[in-house]
Amino acid sequence: LAKTTQPISMDSYEGQEVNITCSHNNIATNDYITWYQQFPSQGPRFIIQGYKTKVTNEVASLFIPADRKSSTLSLPRVSLSDTAVYYCLVGDINTNAGKSTFGDGTTLTVKP
Amino acid sequence: EAGVAQSPRYKIIEKRQSVAFWCNPISGHATLYWYQQILGQGPKLLIQFQNNGVVDDSQLPKDRFSAERLKGVDSTLKIQPAKLEDSAVYLCASSLKRGTAAYEQYFGPGTRLTVT
């Protein structure tokens, strides 16, 4: 089971780019990296998933170095509405092998 | 596409009472998960169903918690008897494909349980 480590909290200002890093030193060969966003009083929402190098969608980018022992979620030009908790998960999506566990996440606060 | 539905949204009970939560996943989603989220912590997986079979219930406190997913669609999570430490938000999620909880999941709004 790959354990993940994220900063507890981060502050940013509107319009800035925010990078949240997740450490997963014991990631397995078949593990994927997934990020979720959670607003207060809501369930988590899938943001992005990747295996290696770079993945980009309409809301974020995910950077994964060659050794895959860490990953960085990049949010371009954040707004106040991006204030939320962000979770990094690592796990094998193809089989029932192992488990994927939510850590305590990173609380991002965007200020005006 | 309708999302994951959960009810009730809020529940307050006294310790030693019983409570049940209901979840209706997204249509066609084979996998259903129940999580417990204590304030300030990330969601903790309690149980995972694949259709109507249990895939993983290793973190379910089986002496007081039970869950079922009849006919592979709706699911019910029950706590009997409740303890103060069960106060949390109970989240239901579903995913289209088989696999571990690493696969993309769609979460419901949760049920906030307060045990007094």
Side-chain angles (χ1 to χ4, degrees):
Chain A
L1 175 61
K3 176 180 168 58
T4 60
T5 303
Q6 301 175 234
I8 294 174
S9 64
M10 295 181 67
D11 289 342
S12 183
Y13 291 92
E14 282 190 292
Q16 289 188 333
E17 177 184 73
V18 171
N19 295 309
I20 305 174
T21 298
C22 179
S23 174
H24 29 79
N25 290 320
N26 59 340
I27 188 169
T29 302
N30 294 328
D31 284 346
Y32 280 68
I33 300 153
T34 311
W35 284 82
Y36 284 82
Q37 175 191 56
Q38 186 176 27
F39 297 115
S41 301
Q42 295 185 24
R45 182 177 73 101
F46 174 91
I47 301 175
I48 198 166
Q49 185 175 72
Y51 182 79
K52 63 180 180 180
T53 62
K54 177 183 175 181
V55 179
T56 297
N57 62 23
E58 62 276 10
V59 298
S61 295
L62 177 59
F63 297 93
I64 306 168
D67 67 5
R68 303 197 332 119
K69 293 184 183 299
S70 67
S71 58
T72 299
L73 174 72
S74 181
L75 304 172
R77 297 180 298 282
V78 295
S79 63
L80 297 177
S81 62
D82 292 316
T83 293
V85 179
Y86 293 82
Y87 295 98
C88 162
L89 278 75
V90 172
D92 188 336
I93 67 169
N94 294 312
T95 73
N96 284 338
K99 297 184 176 68
S100 180
T101 305
F102 284 85
D104 289 338
T106 298
T107 299
L108 172 65
T109 302
V110 181
K111 303 175 182 178
Chain B
E1 176 182 77
V4 176
Q6 290 188 248
S7 67
R9 291 295 313 277
Y10 305 92
K11 190 74 176 178
I12 300 174
I13 62 172
E14 295 182 352
K15 59 183 179 184
R16 292 186 289 275
Q17 287 187 326
S18 63
V19 63
F21 312 124
W22 173 82
C23 173
N24 184 23
I26 293 173
S27 177
H29 280 198
T31 308
L32 185 146
Y33 315 82
W34 282 103
Y35 289 87
Q36 178 193 60
Q37 186 171 26
I38 294 172
L39 186 64
Q41 298 180 17
K44 170 188 167 185
L45 180 65
L46 293 176
I47 189 167
Q48 177 184 344
F49 291 95
Q50 183 67 38
N51 296 310
N52 61 349
V54 176
V55 172
D56 182 359
D57 63 356
S58 58
Q59 298 191 89
L60 186 73
K62 299 180 184 63
D63 58 334
R64 297 185 301 106
F65 286 65
S66 65
E68 61 181 8
R69 189 182 184 197
L70 299 177
K71 300 181 182 179
V73 182
D74 294 6
S75 178
T76 302
L77 176 70
K78 297 180 181 178
I79 307 175
Q80 182 179 9
K83 294 184 176 181
L84 295 177
E85 58 261 37
D86 297 332
S87 293
V89 175
Y90 291 85
L91 294 162
C92 178
S94 67
S95 63
L96 180 60
K97 294 186 178 180
R98 299 183 180 189
T100 69
Y103 201 83
E104 179 178 354
Q105 301 170 66
Y106 296 81
F107 283 81
T111 296
R112 181 176 298 277
L113 173 67
T114 302
V115 182
T116 63

